[in-house]
Amino acid sequence: MLASTLLSLVTLGLASTAVAQDHILVTGIATTQGRTVPVRQNINDLQSAGGPAWDLYVQAVASLQKMSQQDRLGWFQVMAIHGQPFMEYDNAGPRQKPEGTRAWGGYCPHGELVFLPWHRPYVMLYEQALSQAAVAIAETYPEKTRATYRAAARALRSPYWDWSADSNIPGATVPLNLTVNGPKGAVSIQNPLQTYIFPKELTDGKYGGFDVQKRPQIYRCRAPSAYPKTANAKLAARDMKSNVYAAFTQSTTFEEFASQGNNGVGLEFIHNWIHSDATCGEQLLNLALSAFDPLFMLHHTNVDRLWAYWQYIKPAEGVFGGSYAGQARWATPEGTTITTDSVLEPFYRTQTEKHTSKTVLNLNGLGYTYDGLEYWRMNAEQLRKAAVAKVNTLYGPPPAEPRRNTPEERRATAAEKTTQYFVRLEVDREQVDRPSSLAVFIDGQKAGDLAVMELPVTGTMKSGFCVDKLVQAAVANNDTAASIAESKISVSVVKPDGSSVPASHIPSLKVVLHEVTVTPAKSVDEFPTVSPATIYKVNVTDYA
């Protein structure tokens, strides 16, 4: 009864907005000029704190999932924007590629420089729907608590999963049921963060092609795997923290930070690991279906968060420059010239104008912020230092323990340089199965792998990851970086079913080993200094 009452109220509240305008406007949640802007919270902190914000968040997600398939702010419509079922959203315009081709029919861009800008208004659209649902639910609370819940609803923003600081799956996404304080008191509800049940019409083909496996709901780590145990083990092996820190400290341009990486580590490729590992290859790995998993928005809110810190650290490199030929998408034919003035389909900012990368570049005015980024009262230098300090504190290495106790010896320890190693791979996407992973082994031990997503279909992929532990162990055993590159690195292409393809079958595959020297920063609001890389060409062998 409670769920149906909430659904009716929220549906009415959102429907009134949709009827009053031709398009859903992605403007961000309104805030008062010059006042404190609500912060997007870590999902673990939101759950730990409990209270009205948590009660409303859980109920709001549940209500979105129960909305009509025709409601443009319901779970089905919003999540379908990303991929399947390929269909027009919000009367934004017809598909620009003939049906029946291999061209991607979703709106989302992957493997492109517009990846980060496009996902920002997408998360904002979801956040607006979440907020409106929470506001409607708050109105159903008894008068004595209604004001408290109203305030919590106004401040509620899309939470994030900081897999960089803690790669463990958020505990809130595990149980089948959650207990929240509803309008009539404590109530146990089906956990909307644990799964999403697809409308039967969808799996029956009403909207055309969908999941070839015909899964009736979102699955995660089915037997013999286990959720979250198997996912946690996979993610722990990634050393997410070191790789994210390298993306921040070793990138000099937006292009390096967002995708290809200076020494192989870029944000989009780190993001791919979550899609690959967090549900053990279920729908989250399939870009056509991934947005339906409640983990998706927790994941992409964090991606947006990391980009936001980067933007305040290097504002001159906050977004890509120039132009490039884009991949095929719903409203974008293959080869379309993409610039920061290109529209981000299907997101409207006014009734006649759609967002571009430029219109979502600055957080100011978008209705949210992240911890430490108080842009309404801080100048550019204060914001830069705050962002650097946050990245250093969360993801940087712990301070070295001084070997002795005199001030001179402590200063000497703090100034000691370290050596880091990265493996960087380059491959023609058309020569490898998608999805798959390029697994790298050093002296027979797995050093990591690079997730190859389904999209894009064409082009050269360049990325990599940190391999410190195994290389440093080999160096300690009298090897050198040059000898390791010459004879101790092997590669295998691993498919989702566990079968593998020898690296020798991939003629375009190139691998190099990067060695850099890192000099520690002198303060928490500065990054360490990283030397230019010494590059060793790897003599790639097949992993046996």
Side-chain angles (χ1 to χ4, degrees), residues 69 76 85 197-217 283:
Q69 299 158 41
F76 172 74
I197 299 173
F198 294 112
K200 188 173 184 300
E201 297 91 335
L202 177 61
T203 53
D204 285 347
K206 176 181 177 180
Y207 299 95
F210 195 59
D211 184 8
V212 295
Q213 297 184 42
K214 297 189 180 299
R215 288 166 284 192
Q217 67 183 72
Q283 290 104 322

Side-chain angles (χ1 to χ4, degrees), residues 361-535:
L361 183 59
N362 194 330
L363 290 193
N364 195 345
L366 300 185
Y368 70 92
T369 191
Y370 296 106
D371 189 30
L373 302 180
E374 298 179 3
Y375 50 75
W376 57 93
R377 69 169 191 86
M378 299 168 73
N379 63 33
E381 180 61 11
Q382 289 171 325
L383 284 163
R384 184 194 69 80
K385 288 185 175 181
V388 170
K390 182 62 64 176
V391 171
N392 277 332
T393 301
L394 289 174
Y395 314 128
E401 288 292 332
R403 290 190 299 270
R404 296 180 181 84
N405 294 317
T406 68
E408 293 78 11
E409 288 164 339
R410 286 196 295 271
R411 283 194 293 270
T413 299
E416 285 183 353
K417 299 179 180 180
T418 59
T419 303
Q420 282 193 290
Y421 299 91
F422 300 85
V423 66
R424 181 181 173 98
L425 301 94
E426 179 178 328
V427 69
D428 182 340
R429 287 185 173 92
E430 293 190 90
Q431 294 182 6
V432 294
D433 291 274
R434 299 175 311 276
S436 63
S437 61
L438 297 174
V440 177
F441 301 84
I442 295 177
D443 206 13
Q445 297 184 64
K446 187 173 180 180
D449 62 61
L450 186 64
V452 184
M453 305 297 283
E454 289 178 287
L455 297 174
V457 175
T458 61
T460 301
M461 183 177 73
K462 302 175 183 178
S463 190
F465 47 87
C466 180
V467 291
D468 282 350
K469 292 178 181 177
L470 289 181
V471 174
Q472 287 171 353
V475 169
N477 199 31
N478 297 320
D479 272 315
T480 64
S483 66
I484 293 167
E486 175 61 29
S487 63
K488 295 199 172 184
I489 297 181
S490 55
V491 178
S492 178
V493 180
V494 183
K495 300 179 182 180
D497 63 5
S499 61
S500 61
V501 176
S504 58
H505 291 196
I506 316 296
S508 65
L509 179 64
K510 299 176 183 177
V511 184
V512 294
L513 181 65
H514 285 203
E515 179 183 67
V516 298
T517 300
V518 180
T519 303
K522 295 180 180 180
S523 67
V524 72
D525 55 17
E526 298 294 338
F527 280 146
T529 301
V530 182
S531 71
T534 301
I535 302 174

Side-chain angles (χ1 to χ4, degrees), residues 4 32 58 67 95 216 231 235 287 298 301 325 353 364 369 411 436-437 520 526:
S4 62
T32 303
V58 173
M67 286 182 187
R95 189 174 183 182
L235 292 167
L287 296 179
L298 296 172
T301 303
E353 296 180 332
N364 195 345
T369 191
R411 283 194 293 270
S436 63
S437 61
E526 298 294 338

